[in-house]
Amino acid sequence: MDMRILGLTGSIGMGKSTAARMLRALGLAVHDADAAVHRLLAKDGRAVAAVDAAFPGVVAQGAVDRKALGAKVFGQPAEMKRLEAILHPLVRDEERRFLQRCRRARRDVAVLDIPLLFETGGEKRCDGVVVVTAPQFLQSQRVLKRQGMTPARFRQILGAQMPDREKRRRADWVVETGLGRRPTLAALARVVQTLRK
């Protein structure tokens, strides 16, 4: 049987990281696109030299200073595009290698955890997509608890993401994360079961 690829996405503060941990707990391999970006920008990461060339002054001690980089690209669509042109192909390359390892290990389901899945057309690489969602008040509560987060920055991030209702409309499965951990885990387990059929 061919390996099935499950896309996992959701707007900021909707519980995607928790859902990814739960899918791992269910025994699935998960590729975390955000973690891949962190590795690429970390000391001696594969993107450091290219980012340094495109955005002089953002590299310190062999790693990209994410705060300094953010200050240069956030709210600057043209600069953001330049950064994405560097990062996206490298992240895709890591994703390809992850899927090869899963196929070699004869896994039946592999998960691609991608925050901007629909925005980047990533759903085309998946057999099905789970969108995690939660009520707006809960989303705001979760996000504004994060260190360094401000209401203005939160609004900016939301502005760069597809609206939650549009993501839900495009999803194969919508998983509510505002009801507590057990219902979320049960819903994800049902999705995996369906995919395996």
Side-chain angles (χ1 to χ4, degrees):
M1 183 183 129
D2 264 2
M3 183 176 77
R4 316 286 286 169
I5 298 173
L6 178 64
L8 171 66
T9 196
S11 298
I12 184 169
M14 292 300 198
K16 191 174 60 59
S17 301
T18 302
R21 279 196 296 277
M22 288 176 174
L23 288 166
R24 284 191 181 97
L26 290 168
L28 301 186
V30 179
H31 182 264
D32 180 339
D34 265 355
V37 170
H38 278 268
R39 284 192 299 276
L40 292 166
L41 299 176
K43 190 168 165 54
D44 304 322
R46 291 167 64 210
V48 174
V51 170
D52 192 25
F55 305 97
V58 300
V59 171
Q61 293 158 341
V64 173
D65 177 337
R66 294 171 64 92
K67 255 204 171 108
L69 179 63
K72 290 201 178 198
V73 301
F74 220 75
Q76 308 285 333
E79 298 300 287
M80 201 64 183
K81 275 205 158 49
R82 276 175 71 198
L83 178 62
E84 286 169 354
I86 295 167
L87 293 177
H88 286 176
L90 293 169
V91 174
R92 281 290 304 280
D93 186 48
E94 291 215 5
E95 179 192 296
R96 253 194 313 274
R97 286 191 281 188
F98 161 80
L99 292 173
Q100 279 170 350
R101 286 195 300 275
C102 289
R103 285 192 178 96
R104 275 200 300 272
R106 300 208 176 283
R107 286 186 173 272
D108 56 351
V109 179
V111 181
L112 300 181
D113 169 359
I114 305 176
L116 299 175
L117 182 82
F118 291 122
E119 293 86 338
T120 57
E123 75 277 11
K124 295 183 196 80
R125 306 195 299 278
C126 302
D127 296 299
V129 175
V130 169
V131 167
V132 289
T133 190
Q136 220 169 353
F137 77 91
L138 193 58
Q139 178 191 27
S140 298
Q141 255 176 25
R142 289 170 176 171
V143 175
L144 293 172
K145 263 192 213 150
R146 295 182 186 185
Q147 205 181 349
M149 185 58 71
T150 63
R153 184 162 163 73
F154 179 33
R155 280 195 301 275
Q156 234 178 351
I157 291 169
L158 281 180
Q161 297 185 338
M162 183 182 286
D164 176 55
R165 67 178 177 278
E166 177 62 16
K167 285 182 178 162
R168 291 196 314 260
R169 195 182 67 74
R170 293 184 182 204
D172 296 288
W173 299 279
V174 175
V175 172
E176 295 277 349
T177 66
L179 307 168
R181 298 177 83 85
R182 282 176 63 182
T184 303
L185 182 61
L188 289 168
R190 283 195 298 274
V191 169
V192 174
Q193 243 177 341
T194 307
L195 253 190
R196 285 185 162 143
K197 281 176 193 162

